[in-house]
Amino acid sequence: MPDPNPQDFHRLRFLSDLTPGPGGGALFLETSVEAPEQEGDPPRYLSRLWLQRDGKRRALTQEDTARPRWDGGRYVYFLRKYDQVKQLYRLDLAGGEAERLTSFKAGVEGYVLGPEGALAVLTRGDEAPAKPGTPRVYDRLPFKFDGVGLLPERSRQVRVRRSDGGWSEPSELPTDVDAAAWDERGDELVLVASGDFEERRRWIQRLYRWRPGGEAREIGGGFGPVSDPVFSEDGGSIYFVGYDWAAGIGASPGVWRLPRSGGEADRLTPEALYVGLSLVSDVHYGDYGRALEPDGEGGFWFSVTEAGEGRLYRLRADGGVEGPLPLPGSLAAFAVIEGEVRHTLLEDYHRPPVLYTGGEAVHDPNADFLEGWPAPEAFRWRSSEGHDVHGWVLLPEGEGPHPTVLYVHGGPHAAYGRAMLFEFYLLRSRGLAVVYANPRGSVGYGQDYAQIKGRWGEADAADVLGFLDAAVERFGLDGDRLGVAGGSYGGFMTNWLTARYPDKFKAAATQRSICNWTSFWGASDIGIRFSELELGAGLWEAPELYWQKSPLAHAHALKTPTLVVHAEQDHRCPIDQGETWFAALVNRGVPARFLRVPEEGHELSRSGRPDRRVKRLEEIVDWLTQYLLP
């Protein structure tokens, strides 16, 4: 393989938004990075809609497209920006230009198709977005969210299209509606929203039945987040994916069933299974679909994160669970047609998602570029406490011992695995080995393994350091030239490890990190709830815990040359965390460099503007090679 460089990011193509298409085909988006149209403009993403059917592929749109859905007849629906906000469009498959169906000043944030042409949209109606520089006043939390910024005053509600082409009055739930699904047997929907703003702040959602023109009726939930609602085929039950906070923040989401009339919900999948896909990758762009789809026989297909892979399971009508079902790759998305999983997006360590029909790969837009790229070597390290830590080593070419970078994923309730990380291959091309693992706190290894409440910097640190030492010994790596890097929770761990083990690492790259829990508590969009769940106490209950768990409390020991990367509009781990850590490094006389990225949020590394993502990659590669290579 030729050595890649950060600019090669522009060559990647991203498949996403897989959904059933006409004639048993697959609709999907293919996103490319397009060169500027005018000198001085930045590059941009362009997502085109394609139909794959009968071995042939046809482009349906040339302009940017999002969230496509086929109505089962003559139309494909999708979202597209119009006058700075997204509106809903409809494309006649018989030909012609796409028709814009909505003109809400606030745009459309989502939509669901129903029986016999029924259509519902999620919108804030005609509240125009606030003009930049306008003072805003709030009297409740949350008032901001990462990737959105300051939240609008009007809540997001559901409106249904009338037969005359107009729109119904909105649903009147007390907070934003986050999901909706039609009853295929009638004109009723199930909606997901929090019961009040305190519940929204505490990540608790409920399910409501709503008929346009009437009042919404609460029927269940109230124990944690809810997603992917769907009516059973007979209409008597509602299924959904949900968390139960009673099991802690490391709880595995499961498939639940709720009577249509309301009452207690039953969990149908075992707690050992983490329903949904949470593998870390920097070659995803777009939406990767629902975790739960009907199988046409009274049961459901559902996705699972397990042992570093995306897997497909089935919940039978009798309550039995089957799986994992064999797939030639790690599941990223699936499309069900007539009860059968007909199409999938499958990925691998060294390959972004590829479109499969059955077991055959039918479209891989990156095949030529990535030909010959090697997969990492997997192994498990048995800790002294008796548990296995699963991880990987990506080795460079040539004789060792190789200088090595330890990477720590974000979350912490996510996972590395069989999903590509382009960033790692850039380091490999410069002669660096990359070691990465799923320490305690990661998902996909059982619910108990994911629970590290109050043990940040303890159980997890022991796992990543133990795995690193085992990898150095097993693969003959250079234990005297070690670096450490990571983002979000991985940034916290980078800060923590360099402060607590100041002589172990020769270089570090901390990104969108936490260094001070006390300031994070109030400044982050999720600070209060996240801190309580992860640390196990409120700020005033245990202020000393917040300080002792903060890397800043131990920054007096810092020695490791460190690159700090932070986006200025990051509301998840606000910019003050990066500023403070950089100030601590400079104050202690440690070599440091600060990359501040304007107009970007917490998702810079995954969906930031292409030129800014490339700049980030260049800085990380240059910094780590500067201090780790001879």
Short mmCIF file of all heavy atoms in Angstrom, two decimals, residues 433-474:
data_model
loop_
_atom_site.label_atom_id
_atom_site.label_comp_id
_atom_site.label_asym_id
_atom_site.label_seq_id
_atom_site.Cartn_x
_atom_site.Cartn_y
_atom_site.Cartn_z
N ALA A 433 3.56 2.30 15.70
CA ALA A 433 2.55 1.28 16.03
C ALA A 433 1.44 1.94 16.83
O ALA A 433 1.68 2.89 17.58
CB ALA A 433 3.19 0.16 16.83
N VAL A 434 0.23 1.42 16.66
CA VAL A 434 -0.92 1.93 17.41
C VAL A 434 -1.51 0.79 18.22
O VAL A 434 -1.83 -0.27 17.68
CB VAL A 434 -1.99 2.51 16.47
CG1 VAL A 434 -3.17 3.04 17.28
CG2 VAL A 434 -1.41 3.61 15.59
N VAL A 435 -1.62 1.02 19.53
CA VAL A 435 -2.20 0.05 20.46
C VAL A 435 -3.53 0.62 20.95
O VAL A 435 -3.58 1.78 21.39
CB VAL A 435 -1.27 -0.21 21.65
CG1 VAL A 435 -1.96 -1.07 22.70
CG2 VAL A 435 0.02 -0.88 21.18
N TYR A 436 -4.60 -0.16 20.87
CA TYR A 436 -5.89 0.33 21.33
C TYR A 436 -6.71 -0.84 21.85
O TYR A 436 -6.60 -1.96 21.37
CB TYR A 436 -6.64 1.09 20.24
CG TYR A 436 -6.87 0.39 18.93
CD1 TYR A 436 -8.15 0.02 18.53
CD2 TYR A 436 -5.82 0.12 18.05
CE1 TYR A 436 -8.38 -0.59 17.31
CE2 TYR A 436 -6.04 -0.49 16.82
CZ TYR A 436 -7.32 -0.84 16.46
OH TYR A 436 -7.56 -1.44 15.24
N ALA A 437 -7.52 -0.56 22.86
CA ALA A 437 -8.23 -1.63 23.56
C ALA A 437 -9.55 -1.12 24.12
O ALA A 437 -9.83 0.08 24.11
CB ALA A 437 -7.36 -2.18 24.69
N ASN A 438 -10.34 -2.07 24.61
CA ASN A 438 -11.63 -1.76 25.24
C ASN A 438 -11.53 -2.06 26.74
O ASN A 438 -11.81 -3.17 27.18
CB ASN A 438 -12.74 -2.57 24.60
CG ASN A 438 -13.08 -2.08 23.20
OD1 ASN A 438 -12.96 -0.90 22.90
ND2 ASN A 438 -13.48 -2.99 22.34
N PRO A 439 -11.13 -1.07 27.53
CA PRO A 439 -11.01 -1.28 28.97
C PRO A 439 -12.38 -1.33 29.63
O PRO A 439 -13.42 -1.12 28.97
CB PRO A 439 -10.24 -0.05 29.43
CG PRO A 439 -10.68 1.02 28.47
CD PRO A 439 -10.82 0.31 27.15
N ARG A 440 -12.42 -1.62 30.91
CA ARG A 440 -13.68 -1.54 31.63
C ARG A 440 -14.30 -0.16 31.46
O ARG A 440 -13.61 0.85 31.47
CB ARG A 440 -13.45 -1.86 33.11
CG ARG A 440 -13.33 -3.36 33.39
CD ARG A 440 -12.91 -3.63 34.81
NE ARG A 440 -11.51 -3.28 35.03
CZ ARG A 440 -10.87 -3.42 36.20
NH1 ARG A 440 -11.53 -3.89 37.26
NH2 ARG A 440 -9.59 -3.09 36.30
N GLY A 441 -15.61 -0.17 31.28
CA GLY A 441 -16.35 1.03 30.86
C GLY A 441 -16.81 0.92 29.43
O GLY A 441 -17.78 1.57 29.03
N SER A 442 -16.13 0.08 28.62
CA SER A 442 -16.52 -0.12 27.24
C SER A 442 -17.77 -1.00 27.17
O SER A 442 -18.05 -1.78 28.08
CB SER A 442 -15.38 -0.80 26.46
OG SER A 442 -14.18 -0.07 26.55
N VAL A 443 -18.49 -0.89 26.05
CA VAL A 443 -19.70 -1.68 25.87
C VAL A 443 -19.40 -2.88 24.98
O VAL A 443 -18.42 -2.91 24.23
CB VAL A 443 -20.83 -0.84 25.27
CG1 VAL A 443 -21.14 0.35 26.16
CG2 VAL A 443 -20.50 -0.38 23.84
N GLY A 444 -20.28 -3.88 25.08
CA GLY A 444 -20.15 -5.06 24.24
C GLY A 444 -19.54 -6.26 24.94
O GLY A 444 -19.32 -7.30 24.31
N TYR A 445 -19.30 -6.13 26.24
CA TYR A 445 -18.70 -7.22 27.01
C TYR A 445 -19.52 -7.53 28.27
O TYR A 445 -18.99 -8.06 29.24
CB TYR A 445 -17.25 -6.86 27.39
CG TYR A 445 -16.40 -6.57 26.18
CD1 TYR A 445 -16.30 -5.28 25.67
CD2 TYR A 445 -15.71 -7.59 25.52
CE1 TYR A 445 -15.53 -5.01 24.54
CE2 TYR A 445 -14.94 -7.33 24.40
CZ TYR A 445 -14.86 -6.04 23.91
OH TYR A 445 -14.11 -5.77 22.79
N GLY A 446 -20.78 -7.17 28.23
CA GLY A 446 -21.65 -7.39 29.37
C GLY A 446 -21.84 -6.11 30.17
O GLY A 446 -21.00 -5.21 30.17
N GLN A 447 -22.97 -6.04 30.85
CA GLN A 447 -23.33 -4.82 31.58
C GLN A 447 -22.40 -4.54 32.74
O GLN A 447 -22.05 -3.38 33.00
CB GLN A 447 -24.78 -4.96 32.07
CG GLN A 447 -25.37 -3.70 32.63
CD GLN A 447 -26.87 -3.76 32.71
OE1 GLN A 447 -27.57 -3.43 31.76
NE2 GLN A 447 -27.39 -4.22 33.84
N ASP A 448 -21.96 -5.56 33.45
CA ASP A 448 -21.06 -5.34 34.58
C ASP A 448 -19.74 -4.74 34.14
O ASP A 448 -19.17 -3.88 34.82
CB ASP A 448 -20.81 -6.64 35.33
CG ASP A 448 -22.04 -7.14 36.07
OD1 ASP A 448 -22.97 -6.33 36.27
OD2 ASP A 448 -22.07 -8.33 36.44
N TYR A 449 -19.23 -5.18 32.99
CA TYR A 449 -17.95 -4.69 32.49
C TYR A 449 -18.01 -3.19 32.18
O TYR A 449 -17.02 -2.48 32.32
CB TYR A 449 -17.57 -5.48 31.23
CG TYR A 449 -16.16 -5.26 30.74
CD1 TYR A 449 -15.11 -6.01 31.25
CD2 TYR A 449 -15.88 -4.32 29.75
CE1 TYR A 449 -13.82 -5.84 30.79
CE2 TYR A 449 -14.59 -4.14 29.28
CZ TYR A 449 -13.56 -4.90 29.80
OH TYR A 449 -12.27 -4.72 29.35
N ALA A 450 -19.19 -2.73 31.77
CA ALA A 450 -19.34 -1.32 31.38
C ALA A 450 -19.52 -0.38 32.56
O ALA A 450 -19.51 0.84 32.39
CB ALA A 450 -20.53 -1.17 30.43
N GLN A 451 -19.66 -0.91 33.76
CA GLN A 451 -19.92 -0.07 34.94
C GLN A 451 -18.60 0.37 35.59
O GLN A 451 -17.87 -0.45 36.14
CB GLN A 451 -20.75 -0.85 35.97
CG GLN A 451 -22.09 -1.36 35.44
CD GLN A 451 -23.14 -0.27 35.34
OE1 GLN A 451 -22.86 0.90 35.53
NE2 GLN A 451 -24.37 -0.66 35.07
N ILE A 452 -18.30 1.66 35.50
CA ILE A 452 -17.11 2.19 36.20
C ILE A 452 -17.48 3.45 37.00
O ILE A 452 -16.64 4.33 37.19
CB ILE A 452 -15.95 2.48 35.24
CG1 ILE A 452 -16.37 3.46 34.14
CG2 ILE A 452 -15.39 1.19 34.65
CD1 ILE A 452 -15.19 4.01 33.35
N LYS A 453 -18.71 3.52 37.46
CA LYS A 453 -19.14 4.68 38.23
C LYS A 453 -18.21 4.92 39.41
O LYS A 453 -17.96 4.02 40.22
CB LYS A 453 -20.56 4.48 38.74
CG LYS A 453 -21.11 5.66 39.53
CD LYS A 453 -22.57 5.48 39.87
CE LYS A 453 -22.77 4.39 40.91
NZ LYS A 453 -24.19 4.33 41.34
N GLY A 454 -17.67 6.14 39.49
CA GLY A 454 -16.77 6.50 40.57
C GLY A 454 -15.37 5.95 40.44
O GLY A 454 -14.53 6.21 41.30
N ARG A 455 -15.08 5.23 39.34
CA ARG A 455 -13.76 4.60 39.19
C ARG A 455 -13.00 5.10 37.97
O ARG A 455 -12.08 4.44 37.50
CB ARG A 455 -13.92 3.08 39.13
CG ARG A 455 -14.50 2.46 40.40
CD ARG A 455 -14.46 0.94 40.33
NE ARG A 455 -15.34 0.44 39.28
CZ ARG A 455 -15.23 -0.78 38.75
NH1 ARG A 455 -14.25 -1.60 39.16
NH2 ARG A 455 -16.08 -1.18 37.83
N TRP A 456 -13.40 6.26 37.44
CA TRP A 456 -12.63 6.85 36.35
C TRP A 456 -11.18 7.05 36.83
O TRP A 456 -10.94 7.54 37.94
CB TRP A 456 -13.21 8.19 35.96
CG TRP A 456 -14.42 8.15 35.06
CD1 TRP A 456 -15.49 7.33 35.18
CD2 TRP A 456 -14.65 8.98 33.93
NE1 TRP A 456 -16.40 7.59 34.19
CE2 TRP A 456 -15.92 8.60 33.41
CE3 TRP A 456 -13.95 10.00 33.32
CZ2 TRP A 456 -16.47 9.23 32.28
CZ3 TRP A 456 -14.50 10.62 32.20
CH2 TRP A 456 -15.74 10.24 31.69
N GLY A 457 -10.23 6.68 35.97
CA GLY A 457 -8.83 6.83 36.33
C GLY A 457 -8.29 5.71 37.20
O GLY A 457 -7.11 5.72 37.56
N GLU A 458 -9.13 4.74 37.52
CA GLU A 458 -8.69 3.61 38.35
C GLU A 458 -8.81 2.30 37.55
O GLU A 458 -7.82 1.83 37.00
CB GLU A 458 -9.54 3.54 39.62
CG GLU A 458 -9.45 4.78 40.49
CD GLU A 458 -10.45 4.77 41.62
OE1 GLU A 458 -10.91 3.67 42.01
OE2 GLU A 458 -10.80 5.86 42.12
N ALA A 459 -10.00 1.71 37.50
CA ALA A 459 -10.19 0.45 36.79
C ALA A 459 -9.81 0.58 35.33
O ALA A 459 -9.12 -0.28 34.76
CB ALA A 459 -11.65 0.00 36.92
N ASP A 460 -10.23 1.67 34.70
CA ASP A 460 -9.95 1.86 33.28
C ASP A 460 -8.47 2.09 33.01
O ASP A 460 -7.88 1.54 32.06
CB ASP A 460 -10.78 3.01 32.71
CG ASP A 460 -10.77 4.24 33.62
OD1 ASP A 460 -10.05 4.26 34.64
OD2 ASP A 460 -11.51 5.21 33.32
N ALA A 461 -7.82 2.89 33.87
CA ALA A 461 -6.39 3.15 33.71
C ALA A 461 -5.58 1.87 33.88
O ALA A 461 -4.63 1.60 33.12
CB ALA A 461 -5.93 4.21 34.71
N ALA A 462 -5.96 1.05 34.85
CA ALA A 462 -5.26 -0.22 35.04
C ALA A 462 -5.38 -1.10 33.81
O ALA A 462 -4.41 -1.78 33.40
CB ALA A 462 -5.81 -0.94 36.26
N ASP A 463 -6.53 -1.08 33.17
CA ASP A 463 -6.74 -1.92 31.98
C ASP A 463 -5.94 -1.44 30.78
O ASP A 463 -5.29 -2.25 30.09
CB ASP A 463 -8.23 -1.95 31.62
CG ASP A 463 -9.04 -2.82 32.56
OD1 ASP A 463 -8.44 -3.49 33.43
OD2 ASP A 463 -10.28 -2.84 32.43
N VAL A 464 -5.96 -0.14 30.49
CA VAL A 464 -5.24 0.33 29.30
C VAL A 464 -3.74 0.25 29.49
O VAL A 464 -2.99 -0.10 28.56
CB VAL A 464 -5.67 1.75 28.89
CG1 VAL A 464 -7.12 1.78 28.46
CG2 VAL A 464 -5.41 2.77 29.97
N LEU A 465 -3.25 0.52 30.70
CA LEU A 465 -1.81 0.42 30.94
C LEU A 465 -1.36 -1.04 30.94
O LEU A 465 -0.29 -1.36 30.40
CB LEU A 465 -1.45 1.09 32.26
CG LEU A 465 -1.59 2.61 32.29
CD1 LEU A 465 -1.28 3.15 33.69
CD2 LEU A 465 -0.66 3.27 31.26
N GLY A 466 -2.16 -1.91 31.52
CA GLY A 466 -1.81 -3.32 31.50
C GLY A 466 -1.80 -3.87 30.09
O GLY A 466 -0.90 -4.65 29.71
N PHE A 467 -2.78 -3.48 29.29
CA PHE A 467 -2.83 -3.93 27.91
C PHE A 467 -1.65 -3.39 27.12
O PHE A 467 -1.03 -4.11 26.31
CB PHE A 467 -4.15 -3.50 27.26
CG PHE A 467 -4.35 -4.06 25.89
CD1 PHE A 467 -4.97 -5.30 25.72
CD2 PHE A 467 -3.93 -3.39 24.76
CE1 PHE A 467 -5.16 -5.84 24.46
CE2 PHE A 467 -4.10 -3.92 23.49
CZ PHE A 467 -4.73 -5.16 23.34
N LEU A 468 -1.30 -2.13 27.34
CA LEU A 468 -0.15 -1.53 26.66
C LEU A 468 1.13 -2.28 26.99
O LEU A 468 1.91 -2.62 26.09
CB LEU A 468 -0.03 -0.06 27.05
CG LEU A 468 1.22 0.67 26.54
CD1 LEU A 468 1.25 0.70 25.01
CD2 LEU A 468 1.27 2.09 27.11
N ASP A 469 1.37 -2.55 28.26
CA ASP A 469 2.60 -3.26 28.65
C ASP A 469 2.63 -4.65 28.04
O ASP A 469 3.69 -5.13 27.59
CB ASP A 469 2.69 -3.34 30.17
CG ASP A 469 2.95 -1.98 30.81
OD1 ASP A 469 3.35 -1.04 30.09
OD2 ASP A 469 2.73 -1.85 32.04
N ALA A 470 1.47 -5.31 27.99
CA ALA A 470 1.40 -6.65 27.39
C ALA A 470 1.69 -6.59 25.90
O ALA A 470 2.36 -7.47 25.33
CB ALA A 470 0.03 -7.27 27.65
N ALA A 471 1.18 -5.55 25.22
CA ALA A 471 1.43 -5.40 23.79
C ALA A 471 2.90 -5.12 23.51
O ALA A 471 3.47 -5.65 22.55
CB ALA A 471 0.56 -4.27 23.24
N VAL A 472 3.53 -4.28 24.34
CA VAL A 472 4.96 -4.00 24.17
C VAL A 472 5.76 -5.29 24.24
O VAL A 472 6.65 -5.56 23.41
CB VAL A 472 5.44 -2.99 25.23
CG1 VAL A 472 6.96 -2.92 25.27
CG2 VAL A 472 4.84 -1.61 24.95
N GLU A 473 5.44 -6.12 25.21
CA GLU A 473 6.18 -7.37 25.38
C GLU A 473 5.85 -8.35 24.25
O GLU A 473 6.77 -8.97 23.68
CB GLU A 473 5.83 -8.00 26.73
CG GLU A 473 6.54 -9.31 27.00
CD GLU A 473 6.23 -9.88 28.35
OE1 GLU A 473 5.50 -9.22 29.12
OE2 GLU A 473 6.70 -11.00 28.66
N ARG A 474 4.60 -8.49 23.92
CA ARG A 474 4.18 -9.50 22.94
C ARG A 474 4.67 -9.19 21.53
O ARG A 474 5.06 -10.09 20.77
CB ARG A 474 2.65 -9.59 22.95
CG ARG A 474 2.08 -10.62 21.98
CD ARG A 474 0.58 -10.70 22.16
NE ARG A 474 -0.02 -11.70 21.29
CZ ARG A 474 -0.96 -12.54 21.65
NH1 ARG A 474 -1.40 -12.54 22.90
NH2 ARG A 474 -1.48 -13.39 20.78
#
